[in-house]
Amino acid sequence: MTALHTNAATDTTWTTKRGALAQSASMAARSLASIRHQPAQLIDFFMIPLMILLSITFFMGGQMMGSWQDFLQYAGPTIIAMGLFFAIVATGLGLYGDIKEGVFDRLTAMPVSRFALLAGRIGADMAKHAWALLVVGGVAFAIGYRAEGGVLGTAAAAGVLLLFLFSASWTMALAGLTAKSEEQIQTWMISLLMPLAYTSTIFVEIETLPGAVQWLAEINPLSALADSMRVFLDGGTPGGEVLALFGWCAAIVAVFVPLSLRAYRRRLGD
Amino acid sequence: MRYAIEVRGLKKSFGEVQALRCVDLAAAPGTVLGVLGPNGAGKTTAVRVMSTLTRPDAGTAHVLGLDVTTRAAQVRERIGLTGQYAGLDPNLSGEQNLVLIARLLGASRRQARTRAHELLERFDLAHAATRAAGKYSGGMRRRLDLAASIVRRPEVLFLDEPTTGLDPKSRGGLWEVVRELVAAGTTVLLTTQYLEEADQLADSIAVIDAGRVIASGTPSQLKQAVGGQVLRLSPARPEAAERLVQLAEWAIDVKARNEDGTVVVPVANAGEAQAVMARVGQAGIDLAGFGLDEPTLDEVFLTLTGHRAEARDDERTKEPAA
């Protein structure tokens, strides 16, 4: 070991003012850095949405709409959305793991924005979702899906999907900060996210649903998402469904960001 | 500012378990305060309160004159923490871990890399800079953890059992680093289960048991209180043990114990040990062996509290509400 004077040599009174967003970026980069050590993770990120898309399209699609090609054209993109929606659980599990392992103890005792510690995890997960969307979307295209809305419509649909995933991830941040075990987070996913997905217009047209479920499907945020994606992909004129989706996203963020920050303070620092 | 760390009447309960019943601590700037105690004594909870991670139920804690509950943000600017569980990302390399912390603390990319390399060099980790921290050995991980807590040189550094589970060589290496930091003006609060560690590093020691400070003072004061060293005598014939206890107690004014045929005699200095040995020689008792040792934490506890550290632990597990 070298002597202390090297230790004293470097000035460590850094004055660069890095705000919460820059700190979030550092934290996001940290979550993504593990990919370099385990590149196989890149496959993990898209396996579940890919399998959901392929299995539903090929095994059930024909029965639901006559031919799997028709089903893919109608529900392919929204089923990809559903697969990615289930993947937001990774945010909860990741935060839970960080806190359990003690990584967050040091970070919490540092002058770092609490928002950045949470947003960093979500930011990194968004990059993973975007990657999965690219791969699974590519597969859908390869097996015959075509968007009438063209490149612009596809980009807009991907944009609203990612926006929704970002908002919904904050619910999982709260879950990760308040859960007592990893199993609990998994249970929440099965009992909350799945029913939400199945009572929306992801698979089916709203008119085919029984009365009470129709009402549920209409107020379901996933219906707003599915309808918005379809409008853009089909090259239609965006209207109420897109406004409803933006409203949902704003509401979820407005409620769950403060709740998550409060849960964070309760868990660490209180 | 008289004290860099000043804690008064700290209390904290988790449900029915009283982790801290009444803790007072004080460390002058530029000194090392050793907090000595067995598992479950409340050491970690006390460190978490002082490093702004846990809010106390009662009492006050000031670090660098700042109240840790009302001015937590300012406290965080000036402290470093190495928790009992490594605060590292196992998926990041040693270098990435240090760079991340420097970046979060406001270093530019370049400054962060310079500082990381300097610390890796300093802590003998340069060869493992790009390896994932999760693949480090226990000693390497501890070193990286300590490096991480001084990325920006802290004015007060909290080390929660920094050497638990380390081999003697790694332990010595960490002690050396702590001494250097203190020489450069850092105030260190270190918790430990090892009396020797507290003795080696600390300017003052607080012994903590069941959430209470039961003794405090300089290492030499504390050792005097517990008898400094212990003389162990193993008689050639086990039945002579009781006779040895008597002889030792006559030779010097002390309470000796017979522990399964080995007689343990607390002694303040070498002279007392000689006096005991002389008495045993006069009585003509054959010894199979003898030795002069530092008292273990267990023996410190036995002397200070009348109960053993480990037994105490068991009791608490059974009766958390007591």
Side-chain angles (χ1 to χ4, degrees):
Chain A
M1 294 191 187
T2 42
L4 175 74
H5 55 82
T6 50
N7 189 26
T10 306
D11 182 22
T12 59
T13 48
W14 297 306
T15 48
T16 324
K17 277 279 163 258
R18 297 185 76 232
L21 282 182
Q23 291 182 339
S24 306
S26 293
M27 287 302 293
R30 166 241 166 199
S31 293
L32 292 174
S34 66
I35 296 171
R36 219 167 70 184
H37 293 284
Q38 296 153 300
Q41 286 181 340
L42 284 174
I43 299 172
D44 298 344
F45 301 145
F46 63 71
M47 270 326 263
I48 292 179
L50 179 65
M51 284 307 143
I52 289 179
L53 173 71
L54 295 182
S55 57
I56 296 183
T57 303
F58 289 127
F59 301 141
M60 290 157 64
Q63 198 156 38
M64 284 166 88
M65 286 202 165
S67 77
W68 68 261
Q69 286 88 348
D70 286 347
F71 182 79
L72 178 70
Q73 199 58 35
Y74 177 73
T78 50
I79 286 175
I80 296 175
M82 182 182 77
L84 292 176
F85 177 59
F86 292 159
I88 63 172
V89 175
T91 301
L93 293 172
L95 272 178
Y96 182 85
D98 281 342
I99 289 171
K100 201 170 78 174
E101 280 184 14
V103 181
F104 269 36
D105 273 4
R106 159 162 297 128
L107 297 172
T108 306
M110 283 171 32
V112 177
S113 142
R114 274 75 190 111
F115 173 82
L117 295 178
L118 301 180
R121 159 65 61 179
I122 290 177
D125 289 340
M126 290 309 298
K128 296 173 188 174
H129 299 325
W131 158 250
L133 178 58
L134 199 68
V135 172
V136 185
V139 170
F141 185 81
I143 60 174
Y145 175 80
R146 292 294 178 272
E148 283 167 40
V151 177
L152 270 184
T154 309
V160 291
L161 171 57
L162 291 173
L163 174 75
F164 179 76
L165 291 174
F166 172 80
S167 315
S169 293
W170 284 98
T171 66
M172 281 295 132
L174 182 65
L177 290 165
T178 50
K180 302 270 186 294
S181 67
E182 276 152 341
E183 288 74 23
Q184 205 174 15
I185 300 173
Q186 302 278 15
T187 310
W188 282 339
M189 176 203 137
I190 309 251
S191 56
L192 291 173
L193 303 196
M194 281 196 172
L196 208 58
Y198 297 147
T199 56
S200 72
T201 55
I202 278 184
F203 292 106
V204 293
E205 288 158 334
I206 201 156
E207 296 76 33
T208 64
L209 291 168
V213 184
Q214 254 188 40
W215 175 81
L216 210 63
E218 256 173 61
I219 58 157
N220 190 329
L222 284 173
S223 297
L225 173 67
D227 297 346
S228 301
M229 286 176 70
R230 285 197 184 106
V231 163
F232 287 121
L233 289 167
D234 296 346
T237 316
E241 66 290 313
V242 178
L243 285 181
L245 179 67
F246 287 170
W248 268 112
C249 291
I252 294 170
V253 166
V255 171
F256 283 91
V257 172
L259 281 181
S260 300
L261 287 172
R262 197 179 71 147
Y264 187 102
R265 279 188 208 105
R266 290 216 169 157
R267 189 80 188 259
L268 288 160
D270 201 355
Chain B
M1 182 182 61
R2 216 173 134 211
Y3 294 113
I5 302 170
E6 191 174 16
V7 167
R8 286 199 188 286
L10 220 53
K11 290 184 175 59
K12 177 73 187 179
S13 297
F14 298 102
E16 302 231 296
V17 182
Q18 283 180 277
L20 302 177
R21 286 158 200 255
C22 185
V23 170
D24 297 284
L25 299 169
T31 65
V32 181
L33 169 62
V35 176
L36 182 68
N39 271 330
K43 303 190 297 290
T44 296
T45 307
V47 167
R48 292 183 67 89
V49 170
M50 289 181 275
S51 55
T52 77
L53 293 179
T54 299
R55 202 174 271 275
D57 296 337
T60 58
H62 287 86
V63 171
L64 298 160
L66 302 165
D67 188 311
V68 297
T69 57
T70 57
R71 304 183 69 188
Q74 284 114 308
V75 171
R76 290 185 195 120
E77 294 278 353
R78 298 167 71 178
I79 62 169
L81 166 69
T82 294
Q84 202 171 348
Y85 303 101
L88 302 165
D89 190 325
N91 297 315
L92 296 190
S93 70
E95 182 187 356
Q96 286 171 323
N97 264 294
L98 297 179
V99 166
L100 169 70
I101 287 168
R103 291 285 283 155
L104 289 173
L105 290 172
S108 70
R109 227 176 279 271
R110 194 199 170 93
Q111 286 168 326
R113 221 161 312 147
T114 308
R115 181 64 177 154
H117 286 161
E118 185 179 288
L119 287 167
L120 289 166
E121 198 72 43
R122 170 68 192 85
F123 285 84
D124 261 343
L125 293 167
H127 63 285
T130 56
R131 204 186 309 164
K135 299 215 165 72
Y136 279 21
S137 72
M140 290 164 72
R141 214 170 309 155
R142 291 287 183 163
R143 295 210 295 277
L144 183 62
D145 213 0
L146 185 53
S149 60
I150 62 169
V151 164
R152 182 164 69 177
R153 261 181 301 278
E155 292 169 65
V156 172
L157 178 61
F158 295 101
L159 302 173
D160 193 8
E161 301 203 7
T163 65
T164 298
L166 285 192
D167 60 78
K169 186 173 170 283
S170 313
R171 184 170 296 168
L174 272 168
W175 290 353
E176 195 192 318
V177 174
V178 172
R179 287 195 189 103
E180 284 181 18
L181 286 167
V182 174
T186 304
T187 308
V188 175
L189 183 143
L190 147 127
T191 75
T192 180
Q193 301 191 39
Y194 308 114
L195 186 62
E196 192 202 352
E197 183 158 286
D199 189 22
Q200 284 281 336
L201 291 176
D203 298 295
S204 59
I205 298 178
V207 183
I208 181 167
D209 178 44
R212 247 185 252 283
V213 175
I214 55 168
S216 58
T218 64
S220 59
Q221 283 169 342
L222 202 67
K223 277 202 194 160
Q224 256 162 20
V226 300
Q229 289 179 307
V230 291
L231 177 66
R232 285 176 221 279
L233 304 168
S234 309
R237 293 175 303 117
E239 52 284 16
E242 284 309 316
R243 175 85 181 123
L244 278 178
V245 169
Q246 266 183 1
L247 288 169
E249 291 184 348
W250 285 337
I252 55 173
D253 183 21
V254 75
K255 191 112 186 69
R257 298 187 299 276
N258 175 5
E259 289 180 355
D260 300 326
T262 300
V263 175
V264 179
V265 190
V267 293
N269 49 48
E272 288 196 351
Q274 275 176 338
V276 173
M277 291 305 289
R279 245 327 149 87
V280 171
Q282 279 165 14
I285 294 177
D286 286 337
L287 294 179
F290 67 93
L292 200 55
D293 290 322
E294 294 289 317
T296 62
L297 177 61
D298 209 33
E299 282 155 350
V300 173
F301 266 76
L302 196 57
T303 315
L304 288 174
T305 66
H307 64 72
R308 287 195 174 276
E310 292 313 313
R312 178 72 220 175
D313 234 22
D314 294 346
E315 272 169 41
R316 213 180 3 255
T317 326
K318 276 180 218 141
E319 294 174 90

